[in-house]
Amino acid sequence: MQDDSARFKITQLTDTGSSVTLALSEDVELEMVSQQQMMLEAVDRAVADKEVKEQLKPILEALLRSQPQTVIKTYSQTVIQITMPKRRYEKIGSPRVGEKLTIDIRKV
């Protein structure tokens, strides 16, 4: 049985009076990666011959340097929506939008 506890940030809260719905997105710091870096890594994975890589790399770097740099945040976040009775929501401290929760996800 694998245990995967993750932190989630509340992004939306809907209170219907008898129940509360929380929209949560995984609370992670995203790594900034340049488009140039991603392209060079893709070529590195696609070309098996070391000699060809050594010839292509300087040409690609020169071409990509002339292009505007786009920084990309990479990571597929987990998003969860939970609806619970208002009483249970109050028992966990009535968290608000922007606050963080820890959720344990396990196969039982």
Side-chain angles (χ1 to χ4, degrees):
M1 181 166 66
Q2 185 175 351
D3 181 14
D4 189 12
S5 180
R7 288 175 49 145
F8 289 84
K9 187 174 188 177
I10 300 173
T11 56
Q12 185 178 5
L13 185 141
T14 307
D15 185 346
T16 64
S18 60
S19 66
V20 176
T21 301
L22 301 174
L24 309 167
S25 65
E26 197 169 7
D27 183 38
V28 293
E29 291 187 29
L30 302 178
E31 179 182 342
M32 304 295 258
V33 178
S34 73
Q35 192 173 24
Q36 176 180 352
Q37 181 181 350
M38 288 177 59
M39 291 175 81
L40 289 171
E41 288 173 1
V43 169
D44 193 45
R45 285 188 305 270
V47 178
D49 189 322
K50 185 178 178 182
E51 196 173 305
V52 173
K53 283 183 194 180
E54 289 175 5
Q55 291 173 358
L56 279 176
K57 197 168 182 177
I59 296 167
L60 281 172
E61 287 174 348
L63 287 170
L64 294 171
R65 263 194 299 265
S66 66
Q67 300 296 316
Q69 291 300 304
T70 305
V71 177
I72 301 167
K73 292 181 179 183
T74 61
Y75 186 77
S76 298
Q77 287 185 307
T78 301
V79 178
I80 297 176
Q81 184 170 327
I82 300 174
T83 301
M84 65 183 77
K86 180 120 182 202
R87 183 107 169 106
R88 185 168 196 182
Y89 170 74
E90 290 168 348
K91 281 185 177 182
I92 64 170
S94 302
R96 311 307 294 165
V97 172
E99 292 185 319
K100 296 173 182 155
L101 300 174
T102 300
I103 308 235
D104 292 322
I105 303 170
R106 304 174 213 205
K107 180 178 178 182
V108 182

